[in-house]
Amino acid sequence: NAPPARYGAPGIADASGNLWLFGGGSGTTFSVLNLFYDDLWKYNIASSEWTWVAGDNTTNNNGVYGAMGTPSATNKPGGRVAAAGWIQSLGSDLLVFGGAGYGATGGEGYLQDLWTYNTATGQWAWIYGSNAVNVDGVYGTKGVAAAGNNPGGRYSPVNWMDSKGDLWLLGGHGYPATG
């Protein structure tokens, strides 16, 4: 087993010594000629083996969002490239935000959805953001957390997790508060 060649796929290392690879693209530029993957792979460093874990073996698929916050065996993020990826501090769930690719319907654009993948149950859950593409950000008041705040659709942000388990996201290419 081996994932096809790709670029812009977040690689996420877990506490068990596995590397997780989600999505990514093939082609030469961010354009309609690109192929966007929605597959999830696990590389076991100890055995030097890949496992295809979830997603499709085809490209440019729309996401299946289901009910927000509800894990399901049928849920899956759409194909995308240059998304942000994290592992939760307890090491069991993967988190994926945004990227350029496919939402629930329609064509390609910039995504602002946040997904979690539970490695124990093998299920995706859409947990925040829109299932549409090219959505403006909702900024609220600087320095004040609020349920309605959400970064605009974007790809290629810088991302990290701090020692408290907070997720951080900086920049990228996409949509601010007013397109």
Side-chain angles (χ1 to χ4, degrees):
N1 295 339
R6 63 189 67 203
Y7 67 89
I12 307 162
D14 69 19
S16 299
N18 299 304
L19 173 66
W20 295 84
L21 185 72
F22 172 73
S26 64
T28 56
T29 61
F30 293 119
S31 73
V32 294
L33 301 176
N34 270 327
L35 301 175
F36 296 112
Y37 298 103
D38 68 349
D39 53 354
L40 178 66
W41 290 82
K42 179 174 76 170
Y43 181 74
N44 183 300
I45 294 172
S47 68
S48 298
E49 294 179 333
W50 283 102
T51 303
W52 175 30
V53 176
D56 299 301
N57 63 357
T58 58
T59 58
N60 298 349
N61 297 298
N62 288 327
V64 177
Y65 285 73
M68 188 177 285
T70 304
S72 170
T74 59
N75 289 349
K76 64 177 182 144
R80 64 192 64 205
V81 65
W86 302 269
I87 186 92
Q88 285 191 327
S89 56
L90 298 177
S92 63
D93 289 351
L94 310 175
L95 294 156
V96 174
F97 171 81
Y102 293 85
T105 61
E108 168 188 337
Y110 303 143
L111 300 157
Q112 63 147 198
D113 50 356
L114 180 62
W115 290 84
T116 183
Y117 180 81
N118 185 299
T119 60
T121 65
Q123 295 183 346
W124 283 105
W126 167 45
I127 58 174
Y128 205 77
S130 175
N131 63 4
V133 297
N134 302 334
V135 175
D136 291 342
V138 177
Y139 282 68
T141 303
K142 190 185 301 183
V144 178
N149 293 350
N150 201 16
R154 68 188 64 206
Y155 72 87
S156 293
V158 173
N159 61 286
W160 66 97
M161 181 183 291
D162 67 20
S163 61
K164 294 184 281 184
D166 293 325
L167 308 179
W168 292 83
L169 189 72
L170 173 67
H173 180 79
Y175 286 78
T178 57

